[in-house]
Amino acid sequence: MPLFDQPRNGRVLAMADWQRTHTCGELRDSHIGQTVTLNGWVLITRNFPNQVFIDLRDRYGLTQVVVEDSDKALFDLTNTVGREYVLSVTGVVRKRIAGKERSDIPTGQVELEAKSVRVLNASPPLPFSVTEFPDEELANEDLRLQYRYLDLRRRSIQQVLMLRHRICKLIRDYMDAHGFLEMETPLLGKSTPEGARDYLVPSRVFNGEFFALPQSPQLYKQLLMISGYDRYFQIARCLRDEDLRADRQPEFTQLDVEMSFVEREDVLGVMEGLAADLLDKCLGVKLSLPLPRMSYKEAMLRYGSDKPDLRFGLEISDISDIAAESDFKVFKDCVAGGGVVRGLCAKGAADKFSNTDLKPGGKLSAFVAQFKAKGLAWMKVEGDKLTGSIEKFFPDAVKAKLKERMGAQPGDVLLFVADKESVVCDALGALRSHLGSELKLYKNWWDEKADYDAAEEKAAKKEKRAPKPFVAKPEHFQMLWVLDFPMFAYDDEEKRWVAIHHPFTAPMDEDVDRMESDPGTVRAKAYDMVLNGYEVGGGSIRIHRPDVQATVFKMLGMSIEDAKARFGFLLDALQSGAPPHGGIALGLDRWCMILAGTTNIRDVIAFPKNQKARDLMTGAPATVEGRQLKELGIELKN
RNA sequence: GGGGGCGUAGCUCAAUUGGUUAGAGUACCGGACUGUCGAUCCGGUGGUUGCGGGUUCGAGUCCCGUCGCCCUCGCCA
């Protein structure tokens, strides 16, 4: 791949004398003797009475520049340059003296003997360090976000953003090869009642009216199907005005996909092929296809989550029937009242948790309390006996059943939550994830890489060779499809049914008839792609019949008039030759996180917002001038 | 809106039970030094302990309030 412009139309592009002929990651033995020019930033200098060494860096790599004291003016100038100066250095590539080569960097066999140095720009001492030495702690994140342009100079961030580019490129190549068209959809659209809070944009021309920024291109891509564009994709920015998390930003990127004349299998097949491609080409991990599948119901029962992390076991056991046979009032009453009792068996963890951790108000019971669980019951397995304060309510026969059901062995802790099913699933699902990381039941691939790299770097240095790169293992990537989500959930606060996926998701054919009579049991043709406990994609087959769409709106408490006012164009379009269609969206930022080995979405976005959704660099959001508000017909209350 | 954690030099951190002039590493400045590669060695500058109030003979440390950042619950069709 040529980095520099080649002669065009018989004309050689003029090149200023300071412009680079090579990058800082390019020079090798084969360049020895050549006169070259490098442009880059000073990472660090090492000054001696007779020589100055400069590590010159750009996004391609790092090259050592040597300035000898034979040219006094050049030498004096070089002694004044500091970290992060931008230099143009012209010189001769030469072999490093014997025994002084570096095998750990690609340019380590050579160095650039400077003949002239031009300071393209100076730099004051920075608010934090751009170097990344092994034991160097990063500066506070808010400081780094304030000076994001400096933070982005760090090698590890540059590598992540270059990886992000590669991921996007792989996606485009894959989608193109599979016949998909990349198409754009509007940013200025219409607010929709369901779903996340919209970001609104006031209209100057129509005072009092607002555009909404898209939560996703959902409606547009369906309309493109109706228009006959068959296979569409877009790497689309989506905006949701909701509170942030470590893996959630107010603006984020999705790979948005829609296909016509397809059923669920077609969408899953195309997308798992893409997932395998990404893992293979980014990390060398071969995913075995087809991916495992699990129903929503099974995922909730066994893992308490619709995005289970399958890198470790610690499955949930339902012991409602056994609990009913005990004399423990809390359990019995719960089951009698229609609730469930379920538990986890934490292998060998009996000595990891003190009774203080376990008892009411302790760490673990406080943890489940977050999820509305009223308490955490527990027993320890000591020898062949069960111990703990509730042990006495369980007759021996019941204890035996319990141990068998949960696979309890000496040294294990049994943890129980009794409540209505949704609370039990939330609490135990979260507790399972919590214990999974707390008890180190699995390893993140990047933790394994960090261990490997540290050891390999030492070994390589000792043996004077280049370190061998880490190869991730397939077991670090546990991916599956979660299928057969319920169509509706009852919202206690709003006292109405809401769509679990979105209102355009098709119900399963065999469940359509129950939509009005028993909405809670209707399953949707929806699917989520789950990787290591992250929801990395989700989609559905859409409704393509106007009557079914109208019924769904009705179930969501929307009158015909409401639906027509809000989605009239869609209802009309569905009556105008809509093909069966469906699609999916992948969370591109989350994919980048996982492939880059980070747990923070800000690490994979060049200019992210902080947790309060403020851009610490620009200061946005900010007040605007009165004139601007006036044009928009907006008056501030205070 | 709720819960938790954090805030000390430009940066990363320390400071015993509330007790002397708030220290160290690094960056920065000056000096020494013939091949370094996070060079090394010597010296120096650098502090409203986030902010405001209170308790106390005495507060970085305790109390109240407030601001900021991170994690999390709610929220995210």
Side-chain angles (χ1 to χ4, degrees), chain A residues 247-290:
Chain A
D247 63 349
R248 256 166 41 192
Q249 281 272 305
E251 51 179 315
F252 61 100
T253 305
Q254 286 187 341
L255 166 62
D256 197 46
V257 177
E258 197 76 6
M259 305 163 75
S260 291
F261 309 116
V262 293
E263 260 303 342
R264 190 177 75 183
E265 290 307 317
D266 304 286
V267 181
L268 302 195
V270 170
M271 296 316 286
E272 62 186 30
L274 173 61
D277 213 39
L278 288 174
L279 280 167
D280 183 15
K281 289 178 176 150
C282 293
L283 294 172
V285 169
K286 308 278 184 214
L287 206 58
S288 98
L289 298 181

Side-chain angles (χ1 to χ4, degrees), chain A residues 322-385:
Chain A
I322 301 175
E325 293 176 38
S326 77
D327 304 317
F328 189 34
K329 197 169 177 324
V330 175
F331 282 9
K332 287 181 75 164
D333 289 355
C334 172
V335 176
V340 300
V341 182
R342 290 179 189 168
L344 293 169
C345 173
K347 292 276 151 212
D351 52 351
K352 300 229 170 64
F353 296 106
S354 66
N355 294 5
T356 317
D357 292 334
L358 294 163
K359 74 181 183 193
K363 265 187 250 164
L364 288 188
S365 82
F367 181 84
V368 296
Q370 286 186 88
F371 303 90
K372 307 245 159 45
K374 288 187 274 293
L376 182 69
W378 61 274
M379 284 189 260
K380 286 183 179 177
V381 190
E382 292 180 20
D384 57 354
K385 290 199 303 195

Side-chain angles (χ1 to χ4, degrees), chain A residues 2 64 108 158 162 370 379 422 428 464 470 516 538 602:
Chain A
Q64 172 162 283
Q158 292 191 334
M162 289 190 280
Q370 286 186 88
M379 284 189 260
S422 61
L428 286 179
K464 297 228 166 204
F470 173 80
E516 294 187 70
R602 294 182 295 276

Side-chain angles (χ1 to χ4, degrees), chain A residues 453-472:
Chain A
D453 283 350
E456 175 64 9
E457 196 183 329
K458 263 188 202 162
K461 215 164 202 175
K462 211 173 183 180
E463 297 161 30
K464 297 228 166 204
R465 59 175 172 81
K468 285 186 213 117
F470 173 80
V471 183

Side-chain angles (χ1 to χ4, degrees), chain A residues 70-89:
Chain A
S70 44
D71 181 338
K72 190 76 170 66
L74 176 63
F75 187 70
D76 289 347
L77 167 74
T78 312
N79 266 302
T80 66
V81 311
R83 292 186 180 201
E84 298 308 309
Y85 274 48
V86 186
L87 302 184
S88 168
V89 180

Side-chain angles (χ1 to χ4, degrees), chain A residues 195-425:
Chain A
R197 195 176 294 113
D198 287 316
Y199 276 102
L200 297 177
V201 178
S203 163
R204 173 182 57 81
V205 180
F206 302 102
N207 274 194
E209 298 183 28
F210 295 82
F211 293 105
L213 301 175
Q215 298 174 25
S216 82
Q218 184 61 37
L219 292 170
Y220 296 110
K221 69 175 174 178
Q222 289 190 241
L223 293 166
L224 287 172
M225 293 305 105
I226 294 170
S227 304
Y229 292 90
D230 219 55
R231 292 188 155 210
Y232 140 99
F233 84 100
Q234 178 177 197
I235 295 180
R237 197 66 63 83
C238 305
L239 299 106
R240 298 178 188 175
D241 187 4
E242 297 292 347
D243 285 346
L244 285 68
R245 288 287 187 282
D247 63 349
R248 256 166 41 192
Q249 281 272 305
E251 51 179 315
F252 61 100
T253 305
Q254 286 187 341
L255 166 62
D256 197 46
V257 177
E258 197 76 6
M259 305 163 75
S260 291
F261 309 116
V262 293
E263 260 303 342
R264 190 177 75 183
E265 290 307 317
D266 304 286
V267 181
L268 302 195
V270 170
M271 296 316 286
E272 62 186 30
L274 173 61
D277 213 39
L278 288 174
L279 280 167
D280 183 15
K281 289 178 176 150
C282 293
L283 294 172
V285 169
K286 308 278 184 214
L287 206 58
S288 98
L289 298 181
L291 291 176
R293 300 175 179 197
M294 192 182 292
S295 72
Y296 169 87
K297 205 172 163 186
E298 184 183 354
M300 294 306 285
L301 185 65
R302 290 171 60 192
Y303 300 97
S305 167
D306 60 359
K307 45 182 165 56
D309 188 342
L310 300 188
R311 287 175 299 174
F312 62 101
L314 196 65
E315 289 190 26
I316 294 168
S317 310
D318 189 294
I319 56 142
S320 303
D321 54 330
I322 301 175
E325 293 176 38
S326 77
D327 304 317
F328 189 34
K329 197 169 177 324
V330 175
F331 282 9
K332 287 181 75 164
D333 289 355
C334 172
V335 176
V340 300
V341 182
R342 290 179 189 168
L344 293 169
C345 173
K347 292 276 151 212
D351 52 351
K352 300 229 170 64
F353 296 106
S354 66
N355 294 5
T356 317
D357 292 334
L358 294 163
K359 74 181 183 193
K363 265 187 250 164
L364 288 188
S365 82
F367 181 84
V368 296
Q370 286 186 88
F371 303 90
K372 307 245 159 45
K374 288 187 274 293
L376 182 69
W378 61 274
M379 284 189 260
K380 286 183 179 177
V381 190
E382 292 180 20
D384 57 354
K385 290 199 303 195
L386 291 175
T387 65
S389 58
I390 65 167
E391 167 270 335
K392 57 180 174 283
F393 301 115
F394 291 75
D396 285 346
V398 178
K399 277 184 196 158
K401 279 193 203 172
L402 196 60
K403 277 164 50 175
E404 198 202 331
R405 174 82 53 88
M406 300 184 74
Q409 302 288 328
D412 296 350
V413 186
L414 308 180
L415 302 160
F416 306 97
V417 174
D419 217 306
K420 64 176 182 180
E421 187 170 13
S422 61
V423 169
V424 172
C425 287

